[in-house]
Amino acid sequence: MIKIIKNDKIRSHITLDLAELEICYKNNCYKSVVILSCGIIESILYDIVSNTSRLKSKIENFEKRNIGLEELIKLSKSENLLNENTILIINKIREYRNTIHPNSYIRTDLSISENIAEIANACVKEIFKNLAKIQENELEKDSDYIIKNFFKSEFNRLPTESELTIFSPIIGKYNKEKGLLIIARSINFINAKRK
């Protein structure tokens, strides 16, 4: 299940957190379970977004700033990465996680119980269960992926970095079919000019 995480550092981090999560859960360390669950969920969502140019482009300055769980949840909701119930549960778990901050536990009456920890743990498992499907759906929408497959099938090669840079926005602006038609016509025009 963890092999599906693409970034090596994130995969390693999640592996350690999952082991610690299991230990905390078995030893009734419920606050730790909630904190670790939120960290794992954030890491999973970050891995999905960082490996999908279409999603990455939805967050301004993605590469240059820290992206938190709240922003990843909002993106997951707007892009239908996760179902509505899962989003609601993650948001509720995040509220409980935030009770580590003094201003949060003073303002709210939230306390982390075994039930909350169990829900957080189950939510992590549910997201992992659906991760392959989420990634597959995103790949189908990802412009770089679409262009690479198009070049493989039409030209028996991968596109250059320049071609990806030029053609990716076309897929992003138009739907897949129209974008590929524009790209094919552009390449045919360039090839005709070369002759």
Side-chain angles (χ1 to χ4, degrees):
M1 120 174 129
I2 193 77
K3 291 178 183 175
I4 202 157
I5 301 296
K6 294 181 178 177
N7 182 292
D8 292 337
K9 284 184 180 179
I10 292 174
R11 187 181 324 105
S12 174
H13 189 78
I14 290 175
T15 301
L16 294 173
D17 281 355
L18 283 169
E20 188 172 339
L21 176 70
E22 197 62 38
I23 291 167
C24 290
Y25 189 73
K26 286 179 183 175
N27 289 290
N28 304 326
C29 301
Y30 302 132
K31 184 184 278 188
S32 297
V33 169
V34 169
I35 292 167
L36 286 164
S37 294
C38 281
I40 292 166
I41 292 166
E42 182 176 336
S43 295
I44 292 168
L45 294 176
Y46 186 89
D47 186 68
I48 292 169
V49 172
S50 66
N51 286 293
T52 311
S53 58
R54 182 186 78 79
L55 292 174
K56 222 176 357 181
S57 71
K58 304 273 182 183
I59 297 178
E60 190 174 336
N61 295 319
F62 181 85
E63 303 288 348
K64 297 179 183 174
R65 64 189 184 90
N66 289 328
I67 309 301
L69 180 57
E70 186 173 12
E71 196 164 3
L72 292 166
I73 292 169
K74 286 178 184 174
L75 180 68
S76 297
K77 183 176 182 177
S78 68
E79 296 299 316
N80 296 314
L81 296 179
L82 300 169
N83 69 47
E84 189 65 35
N85 288 336
T86 304
I87 297 282
L88 290 171
I89 292 168
I90 294 171
N91 264 320
K92 195 47 118 174
I93 295 167
R94 188 180 60 78
E95 286 178 29
Y96 279 94
R97 189 251 350 234
N98 287 343
T99 62
I100 64 169
H101 304 293
N103 63 338
S104 180
Y105 64 74
I106 289 170
R107 274 193 342 257
T108 67
D109 289 331
L110 298 176
S111 63
I112 299 171
S113 64
E114 180 180 6
N115 187 40
I116 299 302
E118 193 175 307
I119 291 168
N121 195 15
C123 190
V124 168
K125 290 176 182 173
E126 180 67 21
I127 291 171
F128 264 115
K129 191 172 101 179
N130 293 312
L131 186 57
K133 187 175 183 177
I134 294 167
Q135 287 178 333
E136 184 181 314
N137 288 341
E138 280 313 305
L139 271 179
E140 292 300 318
K141 299 174 193 170
D142 186 63
S143 56
D144 288 358
Y145 178 80
I146 292 167
I147 292 167
K148 285 176 184 176
N149 279 340
F150 175 73
F151 269 75
K152 278 187 216 171
S153 68
E154 296 295 316
F155 308 112
N156 204 25
R157 69 174 178 87
L158 287 173
T160 65
E161 283 301 313
S162 298
E163 289 168 329
L164 279 174
T165 302
I166 292 166
F167 295 134
S168 283
I170 294 171
I171 298 293
K173 184 173 181 178
Y174 302 100
N175 64 34
K176 178 181 173 181
E177 289 75 27
K178 187 172 183 178
L180 290 177
L181 180 62
I182 292 168
I183 292 168
R185 287 180 178 169
S186 300
I187 292 170
N188 289 336
F189 178 78
I190 292 167
N191 288 338
K193 285 281 193 186
R194 287 183 181 161
K195 292 178 183 179

